[in-house]
Amino acid sequence: MEISFWPQAYTSERVSPQASQTDETTSFAKMLQSEWDKSTQISTPPLQLPFLLPMLQQPLFLDEKNTYEDVTTLQTKAGEVYSPAEQKVEQSKGTAPTSKAESYGPLIESIAGEFGVDAKLVKAVIQHESNFNERAVSPVGASGLMQLMPSTARALGVKSIFDPAENIRGGVKYLKQMLDRYNGNEALALAAYNAGPGNVDKYGGVPPFKETQNYVPKVLNTYRSYA
């Protein structure tokens, strides 16, 4: 039984050894082939070193069709299949990228001013909700910079949940409603933003949910750090 040493993709049809082969290369290849035959005792096709050149020149990736492609080409194809608008990105954690926070600063200040809400509070909410990632989507479906649930977004008049301006406007509008409902109490407003006003009313304060009890002080601390 004859076993081929090289993958099927490496054939003379893909790379022409004659194009770059020298007498020295041929001699060295024959020597390696001879040593390989002695050690394995398996009949193999001639070992031709020029086939190594593509591997040294660029990274290769074996796809499902048993062909080798440039990694850059595969990344381009992935971008064509999954456009940024279709990709759901889980909200990231940690410190918000300075450039992102600064780039949304004027928009946040403008919309916050429309509703009479402190822009620094809005920024703190956005940082902990999505880390300024306009494409963020939570496991339960909250989306965009201010992590609006689809039903809440519709009720607030948001038509494009991933549009930064619409998302921020809807989120600030909702936050303003919660601030008015709880007479400007920021802790209760934030608790309602996170867990819903029904739960705040039910428990007469910040609900005993671990997530909400962690969320409220974190947002307030970030808000105060902006002052």
Side-chain angles (χ1 to χ4, degrees):
M1 178 178 67
E2 184 173 333
I3 300 177
S4 175
F5 175 67
W6 291 102
Q8 183 179 357
Y10 284 139
T11 66
S12 59
E13 295 178 0
R14 294 183 65 84
V15 179
S16 174
Q18 288 78 11
S20 58
Q21 197 172 43
T22 64
D23 292 339
E24 182 179 356
T25 301
T26 303
S27 176
F28 185 52
K30 287 180 178 179
M31 180 190 72
L32 289 180
Q33 184 64 52
S34 175
E35 292 300 318
W36 172 261
D37 288 343
K38 289 178 183 178
S39 64
T40 62
Q41 298 299 311
I42 295 176
S43 175
T44 63
L47 178 63
Q48 299 180 16
L49 294 182
F51 287 132
L52 295 175
L53 294 179
M55 299 179 69
L56 297 175
Q57 292 171 347
Q58 61 183 341
L60 299 174
F61 181 84
L62 183 62
D63 66 12
E64 70 276 8
K65 295 181 181 178
N66 273 344
T67 58
Y68 285 83
E69 293 197 67
D70 183 348
V71 170
T72 302
T73 301
L74 293 173
Q75 291 173 338
T76 300
K77 288 184 177 180
E80 293 172 352
V81 176
Y82 301 103
S83 66
E86 295 172 331
Q87 294 178 14
K88 290 187 176 181
V89 184
E90 291 295 338
Q91 63 188 59
S92 55
K93 304 297 181 182
T95 305
T98 303
S99 59
K100 278 259 187 176
E102 290 179 348
S103 66
Y104 284 121
L107 181 62
I108 292 170
E109 291 175 8
S110 175
I111 294 174
E114 291 179 23
F115 292 92
V117 176
D118 191 337
K120 294 189 290 292
L121 180 60
V122 177
K123 290 179 183 178
V125 169
I126 292 176
Q127 179 167 331
H128 289 281
E129 288 289 348
S130 67
N131 201 28
F132 291 87
N133 179 359
E134 68 278 0
R135 302 299 305 173
V137 178
S138 79
V140 296
S143 305
L145 288 166
M146 297 197 73
Q147 290 291 275
L148 302 177
M149 291 298 291
S151 57
T152 303
R154 286 192 297 270
L156 293 168
V158 176
K159 296 180 180 179
S160 181
I161 202 167
F162 290 111
D163 179 86
E166 283 200 51
N167 191 284
I168 293 173
R169 181 167 281 102
V172 172
K173 182 178 181 180
Y174 185 66
L175 184 59
K176 172 62 174 175
Q177 290 175 356
M178 297 303 101
L179 286 167
D180 289 344
R181 180 169 182 149
Y182 299 107
N183 300 313
N185 188 310
E186 292 159 349
L188 294 182
L190 291 172
Y193 192 94
N194 178 262
N199 283 314
V200 174
D201 295 343
K202 176 181 178 180
Y203 292 101
V206 178
F209 307 144
K210 185 176 181 180
E211 178 187 339
T212 306
Q213 292 192 343
N214 288 334
Y215 175 85
V216 172
K218 283 182 179 179
V219 176
L220 287 175
N221 285 337
T222 298
Y223 169 46
R224 288 159 187 157
S225 72
Y226 286 146

